[in-house]
């Protein structure tokens, strides 16, 4: 009986140790965790993870994903001019938030290959998704907004910071949709 109690106590102690170790690891961030963090705070969080591996040991998959999320957020904050509401002349809108979320407004039509706006019924409903910023070949920022079907909206930003032309595809191959958003001040 006493041996069984010791075995049970050892198992409980071992389980507690594993749970404490798992709590120490970084968990994936969600939008609420990033809201309101400054670039300096994000850099400190990233450097804390990298400092634990100063001996040259490799980061785990979880730590690598965590560091990448922090870097993505740093890139978003470097391009803070994106934050806010953008509108298209036919009512479509985008609302970029500092936590990496974006509201893609409902669309009542599409542009054809000649640039003529065609109303559709029913309209495409609005949805919430995420956005990130990546550099293109020239080093200019490109905003990627994930779509429901798994593809992406692309908004290349060269010199103009108050107008966005919408494209669909990926960084290698994309086509223009005809939507042209302007920043609402």
């Amino acid at each position: 009986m006493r041996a069984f109690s010791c075995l049970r106590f050892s198992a409980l102690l071992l389980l507690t140790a594993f749970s404490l170790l798992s709590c120490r690891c970084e968990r994936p961030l969600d939008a609420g965790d990033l809201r309101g963090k400054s670039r300096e705070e994000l850099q400190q969080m990233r450097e804390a993870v990298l400092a634990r591996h100063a001996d040259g040991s490799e980061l785990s998959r979880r730590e690598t994903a965590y560091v990448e999320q922090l870097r993505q957020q740093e890139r978003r904050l470097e391009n803070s001019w994106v934050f806010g509401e953008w509108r298209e002349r036919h009512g479509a809108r985008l609302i970029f938030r500092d936590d990496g979320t974006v509201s893609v407004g409902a669309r009542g039509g599409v542009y054809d290959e000649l640039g003529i706006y065609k109303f559709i019924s029913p309209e495409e409903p609005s949805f919430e998704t995420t956005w990130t910023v990546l550099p293109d070949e020239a080093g200019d920022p490109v905003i990627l907004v994930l779509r429901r079907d798994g593809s992406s909206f692309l908004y290349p930003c060269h010199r103009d910071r108050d107008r966005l032309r919408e494209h669909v595809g990926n960084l290698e191959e994309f086509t223009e949709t005809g939507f042209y958003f302007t920043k609402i001040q």
Side-chain angles (χ1 to χ4, degrees):
M1 187 70 167
R2 183 171 227 163
F4 181 70
S5 294
C6 286
L7 183 62
R8 215 167 68 187
F9 179 72
S10 298
L12 183 63
L13 189 62
L14 192 59
L15 207 72
T16 305
F18 282 131
S19 66
L20 288 175
L21 286 174
S22 68
C23 291
R24 187 173 172 262
C25 296
E26 281 74 18
R27 61 181 173 75
L29 299 171
D30 65 1
D33 295 334
L34 299 174
R35 197 169 288 132
K37 297 256 189 232
S38 69
R39 281 180 52 202
E40 292 77 22
E41 289 175 297
L42 296 168
Q43 289 171 346
Q44 289 171 356
M45 292 166 68
R46 184 171 46 86
E47 288 168 2
V49 173
L50 298 175
R52 289 198 300 263
H53 295 277
D55 61 352
S57 61
E58 288 188 28
L59 277 74
S60 68
R61 284 191 324 223
R62 189 179 222 172
E63 288 172 322
T64 302
Y66 181 76
V67 167
E68 184 54 34
Q69 279 183 300
L70 293 172
R71 283 190 179 139
Q72 283 180 355
Q73 182 63 11
E74 287 176 47
R75 283 192 293 269
R76 284 185 199 106
L77 293 178
E78 288 170 6
N79 294 288
S80 60
W81 54 269
V82 173
F83 304 155
E85 185 173 352
W86 298 75
R87 286 220 179 139
E88 207 271 341
R89 64 183 169 157
H90 292 288
R93 67 175 173 72
L94 300 166
I95 300 174
F96 292 97
R97 299 182 196 95
D98 72 341
D99 60 4
T101 60
V102 60
S103 173
V104 179
R107 296 177 183 210
V110 294
Y111 286 93
D112 67 9
E113 58 277 349
L114 299 175
I116 299 170
Y117 189 77
K118 307 276 183 169
F119 288 94
I120 57 173
S121 180
E123 70 178 22
E124 295 176 23
S126 63
F127 62 97
E128 290 287 321
T129 188
T130 58
W131 67 280
T132 191
V133 177
L134 296 173
D136 64 5
E137 291 175 354
D140 293 325
V142 177
I143 302 166
L144 267 74
V145 173
L146 295 178
R147 297 174 61 186
R148 283 184 260 204
D149 63 5
S151 63
S152 297
F153 285 128
L154 296 152
Y155 303 96
C157 309
H158 300 288
R159 287 176 222 96
D160 206 358
R161 299 291 195 239
D162 59 348
R163 292 180 188 87
L164 297 175
R165 288 196 181 277
E166 184 178 83
H167 300 78
V168 176
N170 56 43
L171 288 174
E172 288 86 36
E173 293 182 25
F174 53 86
T175 57
E176 194 168 332
T177 64
F179 283 88
Y180 185 68
F181 292 88
T182 56
K183 177 98 183 219
I184 304 299
Q185 301 299 336

